[in-house]
Amino acid sequence: MSGAKANHRHETEIVADPALPTIVITREFEASPDRVFRAYTDPDLVVQWLGPRRLTMRIDTYDASSGGSYRYVHREDDGTEYGFHGVFHEVRPDERIVQTFAFDGHPDGVSLETTTFQALGSRTRVTTKSLMDSVEARDSMIRSGMQRGVREGHERLDELLGLDRSDADRQTGTEGLAS
């Protein structure tokens, strides 16, 4: 499927508890946990879906293993760049990822994110809980427009997961995401 918007079966739910410095993001995908997990951990796939459609993405490093790290940059058409980095503290294939997340523009604002992959028959529920330093930091992240980027990224992931094997092979040069 091209970058055009598709009819998405599942909506992304983003919840910020007013009393806690957390954001919980939940989304179901029409794919098995191993396929969705691979899309979260394979840099050749991550670059195709993570973030808003209007931005291009460059990955400087992406070692999705326990103790590994990552750094990537989203870029606007006008050249403005937004860098992000963190450390993978725990990576359990097809089950769970625990990582830190920091925006270069606010280096003291590190959040701890736990992402789980729950099998639901032929679907997978992905839940990410982000814990920030304070409710104020959480609110600042929400004011940044992160919801749009998360939702568009999930739409793009839906599209990537829906590719047939030959399309995925051409796009990634790998064995393809579809099984």
Side-chain angles (χ1 to χ4, degrees):
M1 181 177 280
S2 70
K5 290 191 177 188
N7 181 12
H8 302 284
R9 293 184 196 167
H10 305 287
E11 295 298 320
T12 299
E13 179 180 275
I14 301 173
V15 176
D17 183 324
L20 299 172
T22 60
I23 297 174
V24 178
I25 302 166
T26 306
R27 174 70 182 258
E28 289 182 16
F29 296 95
E30 295 293 327
S32 61
D34 62 311
R35 290 179 58 219
V36 179
F37 183 86
R38 180 173 171 218
Y40 269 74
T41 57
D42 181 334
D44 292 332
L45 300 173
V46 170
V47 74
Q48 294 181 54
W49 70 267
L50 185 62
R53 293 180 188 279
R54 74 178 195 285
L55 303 178
T56 58
M57 182 180 189
R58 177 185 81 236
I59 293 180
D60 295 334
T61 185
Y62 205 87
D63 176 9
S65 62
S66 295
S69 64
Y70 69 91
R71 176 169 166 65
Y72 60 84
V73 177
H74 280 121
R75 186 168 198 245
E76 299 267 9
D77 287 341
D78 68 4
T80 303
E81 293 188 340
Y82 311 96
F84 303 89
H85 62 278
V87 174
F88 292 100
H89 291 267
E90 178 184 2
V91 178
R92 277 195 251 159
D94 308 339
E95 293 179 25
R96 174 180 162 108
I97 299 170
V98 178
Q99 67 186 51
T100 56
F101 176 85
F103 170 50
D104 290 351
H106 193 262
D108 294 333
V110 177
S111 62
L112 180 65
E113 298 185 338
T114 301
T115 301
T116 58
F117 302 82
Q118 179 186 3
L120 302 171
S122 63
R123 299 184 329 274
T124 301
R125 177 178 296 130
V126 177
T127 303
T128 300
K129 182 175 186 176
S130 297
L131 174 64
M132 285 80 177
D133 292 334
S134 66
V135 170
E136 294 77 17
R138 188 264 330 267
D139 291 347
S140 177
M141 181 176 280
I142 291 171
R143 281 192 306 273
S144 76
M146 58 78 64
Q147 303 98 314
R148 179 178 176 190
V150 168
R151 286 189 173 104
E152 286 183 11
H154 283 168
E155 290 170 4
R156 294 170 68 196
L157 179 53
D158 262 341
E159 294 160 9
L160 181 63
L161 291 166
L163 292 176
D164 68 32
R165 182 177 289 278
S166 61
D167 287 343
D169 289 345
R170 280 195 297 277
Q171 284 194 10
T172 66
T174 65
E175 193 174 87
L177 190 56
S179 47

